[in-house]
């Protein structure tokens, strides 16, 4: 969707000047809702991440295969690589989406509500993977509604209310609580809560 006003620069280039194929090498996108009713293996699904680097007829080089293998390893899906993608659990399918993004090797990852359908264990596994990727230098932008999850993952938080950015900074700033209350029309109370971690 073309933006209506202003400019967006990606790695020093005007976004509108970047050709679609090049853009898909620079940015990977994981949608909130995905159709996994596909008769393909997990390996083939993840290998789609290399599609932006292929010609009309995809020919995967040894380097491509090495990248796909590494993406499966990072997301702990090596043992499921020959399974049909539609037969995986929700958590495994979410990891497959991340693996597909990793296979692109794009420096910027966009994720839309990546943990919305996951139980606590799979959320924690996903967050651990994302934090590791962040520490390795990936730029990750996540659209997420769960405030606690957003704060546990992010270096920077942006609150959008009625189409406008009303906060852009770190959640430790005093203005954050005020903006949070304005955005969600609630009173924000700092209380003890359950925290979870992987065993």
């Amino acid at each position: 969707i073309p933006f209506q006003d202003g400019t967006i620069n990606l790695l020093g280039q005007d976004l509108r000047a970047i050709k679609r194929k090049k853009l898909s090498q620079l940015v990977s996108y994981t949608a909130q809702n995905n159709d996994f009713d596909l008769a393909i293996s997990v390996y083939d699904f993840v290998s789609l991440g290399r599609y932006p680097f292929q010609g009309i007829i995809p020919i995967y080089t040894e380097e491509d295969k090495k990248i796909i293998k590494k993406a499966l390893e990072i997301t702990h899906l090596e043992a499921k690589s020959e399974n049909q993608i539609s037969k995986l659990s929700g958590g495994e399918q979410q990891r497959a989406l991340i693996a597909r993004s990793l296979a692109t090797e794009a420096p910027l990852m966009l994720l839309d509500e990546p943990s919305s359908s996951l139980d606590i264990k799979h959320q924690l596994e996903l967050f651990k993977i994302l934090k590791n990727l962040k520490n390795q230098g990936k730029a990750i932008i996540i659209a997420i509604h769960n405030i606690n999850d957003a704060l546990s993952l992010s270096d920077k938080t942006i609150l959008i209310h009625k189409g406008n950015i009303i906060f852009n900074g770190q959640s430790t700033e005093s203005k954050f609580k005020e903006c949070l209350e304005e955005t969600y029309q609630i009173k924000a109370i700092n209380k003890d809560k359950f925290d979870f971690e992987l065993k």
Side-chain angles (χ1 to χ4, degrees):
I1 300 173
F3 51 93
Q4 295 173 322
D5 194 18
T7 59
I8 299 175
N9 289 319
L10 178 61
L11 300 175
Q13 299 178 69
D14 185 325
L15 188 64
R16 287 169 290 201
I18 303 174
K19 294 192 182 302
R20 179 61 60 96
K21 185 169 184 176
K22 182 63 178 175
L23 185 61
S24 60
Q25 295 172 3
L26 298 174
V27 181
S28 67
Y29 171 62
T30 300
Q32 179 178 2
N33 298 311
N34 291 274
D35 182 7
F36 289 105
D37 190 21
L38 301 168
I40 62 172
S41 70
V42 173
Y43 183 93
D44 289 340
F45 181 81
V46 173
S47 72
L48 293 173
R50 300 305 299 160
Y51 187 76
F53 302 91
Q54 304 299 313
I56 295 173
I57 301 173
I59 300 173
Y60 294 102
T61 65
E62 287 306 313
E63 183 62 21
D64 288 323
K65 292 173 186 176
K66 191 186 298 182
I67 291 166
I68 294 164
K69 184 175 184 288
K70 184 179 177 185
L72 289 165
E73 287 171 356
I74 289 171
T75 51
H76 311 296
L77 287 172
E78 317 97 290
K80 303 276 185 176
S81 65
E82 297 306 317
N83 293 31
Q84 195 165 309
I85 187 76
S86 60
K87 304 296 183 188
L88 298 188
S89 70
E92 289 166 341
Q93 288 178 339
Q94 196 65 43
R95 294 207 309 271
L97 286 169
I98 300 296
R100 186 180 65 183
S101 287
L102 289 176
T104 307
E105 292 200 314
L108 174 60
M109 297 176 69
L110 303 179
L111 299 96
D112 186 7
E113 295 287 348
S115 60
S116 59
S117 61
L118 304 182
D119 61 29
I120 293 170
K121 180 185 177 185
H122 288 117
Q123 282 184 29
L124 292 172
E125 288 177 343
L126 174 65
F127 293 165
K128 185 177 179 180
I129 289 168
L130 293 177
K131 285 176 182 176
N132 286 339
L133 292 171
K134 181 185 77 169
N135 292 337
Q136 291 167 23
K138 288 278 187 190
I140 303 173
I141 299 176
I142 304 174
I144 194 166
H145 281 88
N146 186 306
I147 296 300
N148 286 322
D149 288 347
L151 300 184
S152 73
L153 285 169
S154 64
D155 295 320
K156 190 176 194 179
T157 304
I158 297 173
L159 282 176
I160 299 175
H161 182 53
K162 295 182 178 176
N164 296 306
I165 293 175
I166 65 166
F167 180 84
N168 182 353
Q170 296 184 329
S171 59
T172 51
E173 295 175 34
S174 56
K175 190 183 174 192
F176 177 69
K177 182 174 180 286
E178 174 190 324
C179 292
L180 191 65
E181 292 180 338
E182 180 186 343
T183 301
Y184 290 100
Q185 296 297 295
I186 47 91
K187 183 172 177 60
I189 303 169
N190 290 328
K191 276 190 170 183
D192 292 336
K193 62 180 182 62
F194 275 113
D195 284 318
F196 304 94
E197 61 181 30
L198 293 170
K199 288 184 178 179

